[in-house]
């Protein structure tokens, strides 16, 4: 059974920082691209960031590029999203995802976490 568990969500002021983490189990972690999606109130889910098997390739949505950094630790089966200069528009439920490649991850991830709420106050 594949399980992705997010942590680190919460309330943060605009301009502040937050770090989301995802612990994966039940899969060969190093064989999967990992990433993050988010869904804001009343909006569709959107891709946020992705990282390849060993962390050599990174991809970010334009909306977060320059403000967010995705990383992974294959020895711990974890992936993180460091978010800086947060804006109220970043308020959303953030989902950890896994897929075979980043290309697939951006459109249809294989696995999803339960989500973590991030609220950015103005």
């Amino acid at each position: 059974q594949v399980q992705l568990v997010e942590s680190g969500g919460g309330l943060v002021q605009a301009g502040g920082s937050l770090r989301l983490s995802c612990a994966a189990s039940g899969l060969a972690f190093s064989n999967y691209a990992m990433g993050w999606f988010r869904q804001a109130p009343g909006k569709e889910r959107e891709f946020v960031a992705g990282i390849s098997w060993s962390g050599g390739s990174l991809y970010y949505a334009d909306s977060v590029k320059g403000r967010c950094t995705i990383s992974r630790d294959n020895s711990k089966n974890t992936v993180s999203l460091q978010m800086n200069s947060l804006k109220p528009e970043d308020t959303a439920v953030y989902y950890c995802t896994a897929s075979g490649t980043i290309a697939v991850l951006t459109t249809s991830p294989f696995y999803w976490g339960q989500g973590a709420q991030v609220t950015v106050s103005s």
Side-chain angles (χ1 to χ4, degrees):
Q1 182 179 6
V2 174
Q3 190 171 14
L4 306 177
V5 181
E6 302 94 336
S7 62
L11 176 65
V12 63
Q13 293 182 338
S17 299
L18 199 65
R19 186 178 181 88
L20 297 175
S21 295
C22 172
S25 62
L27 78 169
F29 185 77
S30 62
N31 291 340
Y32 287 83
M34 302 295 297
W36 295 88
F37 276 67
R38 69 183 182 185
Q39 186 168 26
K43 297 184 178 180
E44 300 286 334
R45 285 187 182 182
E46 63 175 346
F47 174 79
V48 177
I51 186 168
S52 61
W53 299 269
S54 61
S57 297
L58 309 175
Y59 185 79
Y60 299 96
D62 289 340
S63 59
V64 302
K65 191 174 299 182
R67 300 189 296 117
C68 295
T69 302
I70 188 171
S71 61
R72 67 189 297 163
D73 186 343
N74 286 351
S75 69
K76 298 180 179 179
N77 288 7
T78 59
V79 59
S80 298
L81 183 69
Q82 177 69 42
M83 300 184 290
N84 303 318
S85 301
L86 285 165
K87 307 173 182 179
E89 304 91 271
D90 294 318
T91 295
V93 176
Y94 284 72
Y95 297 89
C96 179
T97 63
S99 192
T101 65
I102 289 181
V104 174
L105 183 69
T106 59
T107 58
S108 55
F110 295 166
Y111 306 108
W112 295 78
Q114 82 286 352
Q117 178 69 48
V118 172
T119 302
V120 183
S121 64
S122 59

